[in-house]
Amino acid sequence: MDRLQIGLIGWGTVGSALGELVRTGPLPMTLAAIAVRDRERPGLPKGVQVGGADLALQADVVVELAGGLDGPLAWARQALDRGKPYVTANKALLATHGRELAEIADRRVAALLGSASVGGGTPMIEATQHLAATGAIERIRGILNATTTYILSAMGEGRSYDEALREAQDAGYAEADPSFDVDGRDAAQKLAILASVAWGRWRPEQDVDTTGIVGHEVAAGETIRLVAEATKGSLSVKPMPIDPTDPMARAAGIENVLEITVADAGVYRVSGPGAGGRVTAGAVYGDLARLAAGERPVLFGSPS
Ligand code: HSE
């Protein structure tokens, strides 16, 4: 079988970790091209072509780990329109333009994958997809943002909001613009993607009733978490008290937790590191494994 040629857009923490996985991992694939703004950037691997997005778009599979919205939307449209698989970790892209992208992917019989967009390396999209195929999902409930877990836990231990936010940023959990974390948008985008997968119909971020944690008081000893919750009809993200015996209350640090309730079956849980270069690259690599096996999945099933 021919080795799959990967065109990677973005060479940050996740991109470089993916480069290492592709180089050392078992799948028959090669990193053929890397698109970066700064082509002189230190650490770019030798023997791989470096250029702009056009170069990466010529490969067999396009992987976007750049972030942002306008560039990724244009690249995804081009790749899918040419029938190429598009793999992304970009939750904003999927929660904003997912319907259009899934439609192009369906029409052009191209794969659209985004396992790394939710839960970092924790197989949340994969578990949701699997369980949706086994029965009717009644509810999903999760802790999908590490920054707010960190801040709310630290406040419960007596630290101020500002101190806790600074610590979370220093720990490397926060988005480049931490208002996405603390306003609940990061969790809302992730929940919209999970709900789209769970019920087979694309849901935008705007469908999520979102309340962030700014200005939320936490009394000493209280367990508050930013809880993301969805049924087929309603999606919400808001800070709320959790019983300390609830398995979700154990989420600490970088850990994300997802609970999926399936009719006539029960409650399933998946938890693990929700961010980080190596773990997030692992989720992308898992998507590439499906492509290498000849699958052509579209993340949201049939859009409507
Ligand atoms: N900023 C995110 C979080 C990490 O705090 O969970 C990646 O989604």
Side-chain angles (χ1 to χ4, degrees):
M1 183 173 124
D2 288 344
R3 293 178 78 79
L4 216 52
Q5 304 292 310
I6 310 292
L8 172 60
I9 306 177
W11 187 258
T13 320
V14 182
S16 52
L18 179 69
E20 190 56 16
L21 273 178
V22 169
R23 194 177 67 79
T24 57
L27 296 174
M29 52 184 57
T30 303
L31 188 55
I34 302 173
V36 274
R37 269 197 219 107
D38 174 10
R39 297 181 193 180
E40 303 305 318
R41 192 181 171 139
L44 286 164
K46 293 191 175 43
V48 180
Q49 283 189 288
V50 176
D54 284 352
L55 180 70
L57 283 160
Q58 288 167 26
D60 300 331
V61 177
V62 180
V63 177
E64 181 261 308
L65 301 173
L69 218 43
D70 295 345
L73 176 60
W75 304 325
R77 281 177 175 153
Q78 282 178 51
L80 294 169
D81 208 42
R82 295 178 197 170
K84 288 191 194 225
Y86 194 79
V87 180
T88 182
N90 191 327
K91 55 198 161 236
L93 175 71
L94 295 171
T96 309
H97 298 289
R99 182 203 301 261
E100 178 194 334
L101 298 182
E103 278 169 359
I104 304 175
D106 270 355
R107 196 168 60 241
R108 306 295 296 170
V109 199
L112 174 64
L113 285 155
S115 297
S117 65
V118 180
T122 308
M124 292 187 167
I125 287 180
E126 297 90 321
T128 306
Q129 255 163 354
H130 173 79
L131 291 171
T134 71
I137 294 181
E138 287 179 336
R139 186 170 88 129
I140 54 183
R141 177 173 172 257
I143 294 187
L144 305 177
N145 179 269
T147 302
T148 49
T149 300
Y150 189 97
I151 294 172
L152 294 167
S153 317
M155 288 173 77
E157 291 162 10
R159 299 211 280 297
S160 73
Y161 172 85
D162 288 337
E163 282 169 342
L165 172 59
R166 228 175 1 256
E167 286 173 23
Q169 285 177 296
D170 290 346
Y173 298 171
E175 295 296 299
D177 174 358
S179 66
F180 263 74
D181 297 296
V182 297
D183 292 343
R185 293 197 56 195
D186 177 78
Q189 289 174 348
K190 291 167 176 167
L191 184 70
I193 294 167
L194 288 173
S196 305
V197 173
W199 292 291
R201 180 170 79 86
W202 180 73
R203 307 294 297 264
E205 178 192 351
Q206 285 79 359
D207 281 6
V208 185
D209 180 9
T210 306
T211 308
I213 64 163
V214 182
H216 196 89
E217 301 291 331
V218 183
E222 204 179 7
T223 307
I224 306 280
R225 293 288 182 270
L226 186 69
V227 176
E229 200 163 3
T231 59
K232 200 170 180 177
S234 104
L235 287 73
S236 71
V237 166
K238 54 179 176 254
M240 55 170 77
I242 325 194
D243 190 297
T245 61
D246 185 323
M248 292 218 311
R250 287 206 297 269
I254 204 77
E255 192 176 14
N256 284 187
V257 184
L258 180 68
E259 222 176 65
I260 303 167
T261 306
V262 180
D264 304 322
V267 178
Y268 298 81
R269 284 189 191 86
V270 51
S271 67
R278 167 61 182 82
V279 295
T280 308
V284 177
Y285 196 68
D287 284 348
L288 294 174
R290 295 184 70 182
L291 297 175
E295 292 183 48
R296 286 289 171 269
V298 178
L299 186 56
F300 309 119
S302 307
S304 57

